[in-house]
Structure formats: C-alpha cells, structure tokens
Amino acid sequence: MNYRFCRKAKLASLVLMGICELSWNDPARAISLGSGLDLDVTVTAVSDYRDTGISQTRGDPALQTEAVLQHESGLYLGAFASNVDFGTDTRLETMYFVGATVPFSEQVYFDTYVGRYEYPKEAYADYNEFYAELGVYGFQLGYTYSFDNRGHVPNNSNVFLAYNFVLPYKSNLQVRYGYSNVRADAFWSSDGDVRRSFHDWEVKLSKEIYGVNAFLSYIDTDLSKSECLSATGFDDTCSATLVVGVSKTF
C-alpha cells in the first residue's frame, strides 16, 4: 500500500511559520514588488523530508523550493516543490496554495489556506487540502483536512499543538505533538490488530547563521515497523530519526 493513506498534514513549519515570521518580524527579507506586494523565495535542503513524522523520501535528502507572494492586506498565494520517493514512479511533489494571515498583534495571529498537491506520473494521488492555524504567545494550534483524493482514499485530518521557545543568539526551540486520522484501516500490527490513527512528535532546534537558518530535529511516531510497512510499503520510514537542514529566504 502506498503512503497515500497518510500523506499528509502540510509543511506547516516550512510554509506557515515562515509566512508569519516574515510578515511582521523581518519584512526586509522579502522582495518588495510595489503596490503592497512582497515576494519571498525560500530554498531548503534537508537530510530527510518528514511529514507527520513519516519520511517522504525513504530517508534520503530533499531539496525544496517555495515562493510566496504576499499582499499587505494579509492575503497570499504561493507554490512549493520537493523531490519525494514513495517507491512509485513519481519523484516530485508540487503544491499550490492561496490563503490569508490575520495578525492581531505581534504575538497573536490566525492563518488559513487551501491548496492542491500534485504528483507527476501518479495523478491518482493528487488531492486538496485545507489548513488553519492559531498562534498565541508562542503556542501554535493547527488543523489540516485533506480531501478529494483522485485515488478515492478517504479524507483524512491532522491536528497538532506546538510551542516555540525563543532562545538567545537568534536561536529557537520548537516542540510539537501531532495526531493524524486517515479514516481507513491502514496500520496493521504484527499480531493482526489494525488502527486508523497515529501520533507523531518533533523537537527542533534552529539558529540563524549569516542569514541562513540551520536546524536539527528529532522526529518520531508511535507506529511500529509492521504498521509502517502496511501503510507505506516500508518498515523504516516511520522510526525515530535526526534531521538536519538549512534554509535561505531571498
């Protein structure tokens, strides 16, 4: 079975956190286009592309690019691309989205978007996504709903709670805990039990060095190897791992 059963709960840390931080913390990093429009282009390299704790590249590195066009009103649209490896013909994931950020203050905001994921040579895996996030004084509560999968996979959802600790020397520590429900009997254990949901967690330390964001993450799920194998086709893509990465926003 392909990982289409539990793919995905968005790249919230890649897209939404970047949007909110740049919107009111560091506007100089955006490219001003005039008429209230700014363009952010971010390039990221990671040792493993993990989403909801599960590898999208079978443990291999990924190179990712994201472009976000933002208006001073809070509206934005963008595109994201990354290499992937699900053991199928597709090697590329693209995502297009449109949304809005509402900053109530420097410490409180609401963000939402709708987007479309597409996978060349694997069109049956294409699907739509709705996302909403509330940020309050370092806490983040996010909800993702994935729907209209061409492969007729049941709609699935993810909810997460995270907290960001601002550290000295332009450093940040984020802890995150998530719950995903794929609404299908996808995770079979070695003793024959089956479930439809799982949990994942991440501890991420990041630091800005000469304009480049470097980060180290510990990521894990509560899926056993047999449960991982039944849902993704591999038994080693859901286990604990350390992910290192760098990103640069232009």
Side-chain angles (χ1 to χ4, degrees):
M1 177 184 318
N2 198 331
Y3 182 49
R4 60 183 181 271
F5 269 107
C6 38
R7 190 176 70 211
K8 71 182 356 142
K10 187 57 196 114
L11 318 149
S13 62
L14 293 174
V15 180
L16 270 299
M17 287 178 61
I19 289 173
C20 295
E21 289 173 0
L22 289 170
S23 292
W24 57 72
N25 287 339
D26 197 1
R29 297 175 69 176
I31 302 171
S32 178
L33 302 178
S35 300
L37 292 172
D38 291 325
L39 176 65
D40 294 319
V41 178
T42 302
V43 178
T44 303
V46 291
S47 61
D48 186 2
Y49 174 16
R50 292 262 171 160
D51 185 46
T52 60
I54 301 178
S55 179
Q56 312 293 288
T57 51
R58 297 173 62 182
D60 290 335
L63 182 63
Q64 304 168 337
T65 303
E66 177 190 79
V68 182
L69 181 65
Q70 306 175 62
H71 188 262
E72 59 185 9
S73 65
L75 298 175
Y76 62 85
L77 59 88
F80 170 86
S82 176
N83 61 289
V84 293
D85 186 355
F86 306 120
T88 61
D89 290 336
T90 189
R91 289 294 183 268
L92 178 65
E93 172 186 270
T94 59
M95 191 241 188
Y96 313 96
F97 53 92
V98 58
T101 302
V102 182
F104 300 103
S105 70
E106 290 189 356
Q107 299 294 331
V108 181
Y109 69 87
F110 176 75
D111 201 302
T112 186
Y113 71 80
V114 291
R116 176 71 175 174
Y117 281 94
E118 295 185 351
Y119 300 88
K121 299 182 180 181
E122 195 181 351
Y124 69 88
D126 297 350
Y127 65 96
N128 302 319
E129 182 174 87
F130 166 78
Y131 183 85
E133 178 181 315
L134 177 66
V136 180
Y137 291 93
F139 285 97
Q140 294 169 312
L141 178 62
Y143 173 77
T144 305
Y145 184 70
S146 301
F147 59 99
D148 285 350
N149 189 299
R150 290 185 181 180
H152 305 292
V153 174
N155 299 341
N156 59 84
S157 61
N158 169 272
V159 60
F160 75 86
L161 179 64
Y163 185 76
N164 290 298
F165 298 89
V166 178
L167 305 178
Y169 306 109
K170 295 185 178 180
S171 300
N172 185 77
L173 178 67
Q174 182 192 62
V175 292
R176 182 189 59 79
Y177 190 82
Y179 168 82
S180 297
N181 189 331
V182 302
R183 294 179 172 83
D185 293 338
F187 309 106
W188 292 84
S189 67
S190 57
D191 58 8
D193 292 333
V194 63
R195 55 174 168 153
R196 299 184 170 194
S197 62
F198 68 98
H199 299 86
D200 72 282
W201 50 92
E202 177 179 8
V203 179
K204 180 179 181 179
L205 178 64
S206 59
K207 176 177 174 57
E208 184 175 326
I209 305 173
Y210 297 110
V212 175
N213 182 43
F215 53 90
L216 173 66
S217 292
Y218 173 80
I219 302 173
D220 198 3
T221 75
D222 65 350
L223 293 171
S224 67
K225 286 193 172 184
S226 60
E227 289 174 323
C228 187
L229 176 64
S230 65
T232 71
F234 308 97
D235 65 2
D236 58 351
T237 55
C238 313
S239 304
T241 189
L242 288 176
V243 174
V244 296
V246 292
S247 66
K248 172 67 176 178
T249 298
F250 303 92

